[in-house]
Amino acid sequence: AQKVTQAQTEISVVEKEDVTLDCVYETRDTTYYLFWYKQPPSGELVFLIRRNSFDEQNEISGRYSWNFQKSTSSFNFTITASQVVDSAVYFCALRIYNFNKFYFGSGTKLNVKP
Amino acid sequence: EAGVAQSPRYKIIEKRQSVAFWCNPISGHATLYWYQQILGQGPKLLIQFQNNGVVDDSQLPKDRFSAERLKGVDSTLKIQPAKLEDSAVYLCASSSATTSGSRYTQYFGPGTRLTVL
């Protein structure tokens, strides 16, 4: 069975602090995709990144970086120098290659205070 | 490229009434999903279409929820009759079956916030 766990329900930081959002997944399949989505107060889920199970290279995009480690089944997301606009709920998701179905974590609410 | 469109954005109804939501996916996207997101939780898949056929509706409460995707494009989700516990955001998403790479990604619409009184 597939499962995504985001143990951090809510995190509060002060602007310019770095923050890491944790994501742990479970699957027996060897080919899969991992995703991060951002859900701002407006409600729409915004796609941030997709990684496949064969690519463990870390990725950096501006202030965002992702650390994928198959050995620990984790796909963590770090925001460097956080800003108030980063305040949102962030979801991690898993998709198995042969099945077009997504498994979402319960989300982590990030509050960035000025 | 236009995103996933949904309407209405907000709906308030009384329990036992009926309601319908509409979704227009990104052009060319063969797969369409309806999710229910209760406050404080992650999205829960209700139904998944591939073109106009149902792929997965295992978590759709079929006694009150129905969905269709005529002609493999637009889709409607209906609740009849609504219950208090149906209060949630209903999200529509789509993904491409033809473009490599991005076809594995879902793109979401803005959602419809339903309040059942």
Side-chain angles (χ1 to χ4, degrees):
Chain A
Q2 279 59 241
K3 185 179 179 182
V4 176
T5 302
Q6 294 180 256
Q8 304 152 309
T9 304
E10 187 166 354
I11 300 174
S12 293
V13 299
V14 176
E15 204 170 21
K16 298 184 183 177
E17 284 185 3
D18 298 347
V19 58
T20 295
L21 309 182
D22 298 334
C23 173
V24 175
Y25 62 94
E26 296 176 27
T27 181
R28 292 182 180 177
D29 288 73
T30 57
T31 306
Y32 50 88
Y33 294 85
L34 295 164
F35 302 80
W36 276 96
Y37 285 86
K38 174 182 180 180
Q39 188 174 41
S42 60
E44 182 172 348
L45 272 84
V46 177
F47 165 69
L48 295 178
I49 190 172
R50 175 188 67 248
R51 304 297 286 177
N52 71 53
S53 53
F54 296 118
D55 185 359
E56 286 195 71
Q57 283 190 343
N58 291 333
E59 179 149 341
I60 298 174
S61 176
R63 297 184 297 106
Y64 294 172
S65 63
W66 290 269
N67 183 276
F68 175 30
Q69 291 192 346
K70 288 181 74 172
S71 60
T72 56
S73 297
S74 64
F75 185 42
N76 296 337
F77 173 29
T78 298
I79 301 175
T80 303
S82 59
Q83 300 177 1
V84 173
V85 293
D86 296 327
S87 295
V89 180
Y90 291 85
F91 289 96
C92 182
L94 166 70
R95 178 195 184 281
I96 305 306
Y97 178 72
N98 287 328
F99 297 94
N100 203 0
K101 182 174 181 177
F102 288 70
Y103 300 86
F104 283 87
S106 54
T108 297
K109 184 176 183 181
L110 175 64
N111 302 306
V112 182
K113 302 174 183 177
Chain B
E1 181 181 68
V4 177
Q6 289 187 249
S7 68
R9 290 297 311 277
Y10 304 92
K11 190 74 177 179
I12 300 174
I13 61 173
E14 295 190 350
K15 60 183 179 182
R16 291 189 287 273
Q17 286 187 324
S18 302
V19 64
F21 312 127
W22 173 82
C23 172
N24 182 249
I26 293 173
S27 179
H29 279 197
T31 307
L32 185 147
Y33 311 78
W34 282 103
Y35 288 89
Q36 180 192 60
Q37 187 179 21
I38 293 173
L39 186 64
Q41 299 181 16
K44 169 190 166 185
L45 179 68
L46 291 176
I47 189 167
Q48 176 184 335
F49 292 95
Q50 180 76 20
N51 295 309
N52 60 354
V54 175
V55 174
D56 184 348
D57 64 355
S58 57
Q59 297 197 88
L60 185 74
K62 298 181 184 64
D63 58 334
R64 298 185 298 107
F65 286 64
S66 64
E68 61 182 8
R69 190 183 185 197
L70 299 176
K71 301 180 182 178
V73 182
D74 294 6
S75 177
T76 56
L77 176 69
K78 297 179 181 178
I79 307 175
Q80 180 179 10
K83 293 185 176 181
L84 296 177
E85 58 260 37
D86 297 332
S87 293
V89 175
Y90 291 85
L91 295 163
C92 180
S94 69
S95 66
S96 169
T98 57
T99 304
S100 63
S102 64
R103 69 180 169 180
Y104 302 115
T105 299
Q106 286 184 97
Y107 298 92
F108 285 82
T112 297
R113 186 176 298 275
L114 173 67
T115 302
V116 183
L117 302 176

